[in-house]
């Protein structure tokens, strides 16, 4: 579905409307969440290591937040189209929508920067490894052998 939607928006000029660009961005964030985040949330044991734990949690937060902000952008765009149909034509352009989408991703990535430093694959004695929020233990992105 996502690939088909992207193909249609890229190939067909008349489908590149502000509404469709926002829907494609929402689809991209949701598919990324479903493919990368959801399957790894099921197991209780974390066999994938510390680096993938950090990548997984960061992707989890970023895609969820981008989905919410994209729905807010869709709501604003639809509000402008309904309440101010003539006045908002100059505001609701593809360029402005691309600026809004890129700005949303940049702000979300900026605010998600602390996430990799907050999660770690924790190993307790005689227990399996878990990908958890970590406050008290040493938590570094750099492997211990490099320090």
């Amino acid at each position: 579905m996502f690939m088909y939607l992207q193909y249609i928006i890229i190939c067909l000029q008349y489908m590149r409307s502000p509404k469709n660009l926002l829907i494609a961005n929402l689809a991209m964030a949701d598919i990324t969440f479903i493919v990368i985040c959801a399957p790894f949330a099921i197991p209780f044991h974390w066999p994938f290591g510390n680096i993938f734990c950090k990548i997984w949690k960061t992707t989890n937060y970023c895609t969820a937040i981008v989905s919410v902000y994209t729905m807010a952008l869709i709501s604003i765009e639809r509000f402008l189209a309904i309440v101010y149909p003539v006045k908002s034509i100059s505001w609701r352009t593809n360029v402005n929508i691309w600026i809004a989408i890129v700005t949303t991703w940049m702000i979300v990535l900026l605010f998600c920067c602390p996430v990799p430093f907050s999660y770690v694959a924790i190993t307790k004695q005689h227990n399996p490894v878990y990908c958890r929020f970590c406050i008290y233990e040493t938590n570094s992105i750099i492997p211990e052998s490099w320090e």
Side-chain angles (χ1 to χ4, degrees):
M1 172 71 182
F2 171 69
M3 298 300 241
Y4 183 68
L5 179 67
Q6 294 295 332
Y7 175 76
I8 288 173
I9 291 174
I10 289 171
C11 291
L12 303 175
Q13 177 70 28
Y14 68 91
M15 291 298 289
R16 290 185 210 153
S17 67
K19 177 180 61 171
N20 288 343
L21 291 174
L22 289 169
I23 290 171
N25 186 50
L26 180 64
M28 184 179 69
D30 288 345
I31 291 294
T32 304
F33 182 82
I34 289 170
V35 169
I36 294 177
C37 302
F40 300 108
I42 296 170
F44 296 112
H45 173 69
W46 186 259
F48 305 110
N50 194 29
I51 297 296
F52 191 68
C53 173
K54 294 169 185 304
I55 292 169
W56 175 64
K57 278 302 192 179
T58 305
T59 306
N60 195 348
Y61 282 105
C62 286
T63 55
I65 294 169
V66 165
S67 291
V68 171
Y69 285 159
T70 302
M71 285 187 277
L73 286 173
I74 291 170
S75 299
I76 292 168
E77 192 270 335
R78 291 288 82 203
F79 170 80
L80 290 173
I82 293 168
V83 176
Y84 304 106
V86 177
K87 230 191 256 187
S88 68
I89 289 174
S90 62
W91 304 335
R92 296 180 305 112
T93 63
N94 287 348
V95 172
N96 287 342
I97 294 299
W98 275 113
I99 291 170
I101 289 170
V102 170
T103 304
T104 300
W105 277 97
M106 288 174 33
I107 290 171
V108 168
L109 288 173
L110 177 70
F111 283 107
C112 285
C113 282
V115 173
F117 299 103
S118 304
Y119 283 86
V120 67
I122 297 174
T123 307
K124 299 289 184 184
Q125 291 178 344
H126 307 294
N127 288 332
V129 180
Y130 298 99
C131 181
R132 297 273 170 105
F133 183 77
C134 180
I135 298 174
Y136 303 112
E137 297 185 21
T138 305
N139 185 5
S140 175
I141 284 184
I142 301 171
E144 291 179 17
S145 61
W146 291 3
E147 293 180 356

